[in-house]
C-alpha cells in the first residue's frame, strides 16, 4: 500500500498502528489483517466511510459476543448456586414439614408409625 493511503487510514481511525521512536508507524499482524480487509472491501466498491462503519459494527458484534459469553457463564454459576442452595421439604413422622438436605430421603416409617386413614 502507498504510504499516503496508510496515513489516510490512520487519520480515519481504520487502523491504529503503534509508534516507534521518531514517530514511525509499526504495524502488528492484526493491523496487517485489517489493512487487507480494508483493501478487499475497497476493491469491492465499498467507500471508506462504509468500511469504517463495517469495522465498527464488527467490533461491536465481537464485544457483544464476549459479553454474551460472560453472561452465560454468570447464569450457569447462578443456576449451580441455586441448585446447591435449594431446599427440599418432606413430611416428618409426626406429620410436620421437615427440611431435608439435597440427596437425602426421609427416614422410612415402620408399620406402627404409618398413618392410616379409616372411615367406617
Amino acid at each position: 500500500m502507498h504510504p499516503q493511503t496508510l496515513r489516510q487510514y490512520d487519520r480515519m481511525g481504520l487502523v491504529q498502528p503503534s509508534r516507534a521512536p521518531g514517530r514511525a508507524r509499526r504495524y502488528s499482524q492484526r493491523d496487517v489483517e485489517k489493512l487487507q480487509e480494508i483493501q478487499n472491501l475497497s476493491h469491492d466498491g465499498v467507500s471508506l466511510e462504509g468500511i469504517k462503519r463495517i469495522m465498527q459494527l464488527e467490533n461491536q458484534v465481537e464485544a457483544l459476543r464476549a459479553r454474551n459469553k460472560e453472561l452465560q457463564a454468570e447464569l450457569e454459576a447462578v443456576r449451580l448456586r441455586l441448585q446447591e442452595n435449594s431446599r427440599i421439604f418432606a413430611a416428618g413422622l409426626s406429620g410436620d414439614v421437615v427440611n431435608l438436605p439435597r440427596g437425602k430421603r426421609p427416614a422410612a416409617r415402620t408399620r406402627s408409625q404409618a398413618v392410616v386413614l379409616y372411615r367406617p
Side-chain angles (χ1 to χ4, degrees):
M1 288 187 165
H2 193 275
Q4 189 64 28
T5 304
L6 294 173
R7 282 193 282 278
Q8 182 180 10
Y9 293 168
D10 190 10
R11 277 193 305 273
M12 289 185 71
L14 294 174
V15 179
Q16 289 93 18
S18 60
R19 301 288 182 160
R23 307 279 299 149
R25 289 175 179 84
R26 299 285 180 188
Y27 292 94
S28 68
Q29 183 61 38
R30 175 72 179 124
D31 292 333
V32 171
E33 290 168 3
K34 276 186 177 182
L35 289 169
Q36 289 172 336
E37 183 180 354
I38 292 168
Q39 192 173 39
N40 291 337
L41 288 169
S42 181
H43 285 309
D44 290 341
V46 180
S47 69
L48 289 180
E49 283 302 318
I51 292 171
K52 185 175 182 178
R53 183 68 179 138
I54 288 169
M55 295 182 86
Q56 287 172 342
L57 291 171
E58 286 176 348
N59 290 338
Q60 186 177 7
V61 166
E62 188 63 33
L64 289 170
R65 283 185 178 140
R67 181 66 177 141
N68 188 28
K69 200 172 193 178
E70 290 171 9
L71 289 172
Q72 285 177 341
E74 187 178 327
L75 177 62
E76 187 60 29
V78 168
R79 282 183 178 155
L80 287 174
R81 253 193 333 267
L82 283 174
Q83 191 176 31
E84 290 170 358
N85 294 334
S86 67
R87 297 174 4 172
I88 300 174
F89 299 95
L93 296 177
S94 62
D96 57 333
V97 177
V98 294
N99 186 11
L100 296 174
R102 184 169 277 291
K104 296 287 183 180
R105 293 187 174 268
R109 294 181 181 202
T110 63
R111 188 151 186 87
S112 63
Q113 293 172 326
V115 176
V116 178
L117 295 176
Y118 177 77
R119 287 193 181 178

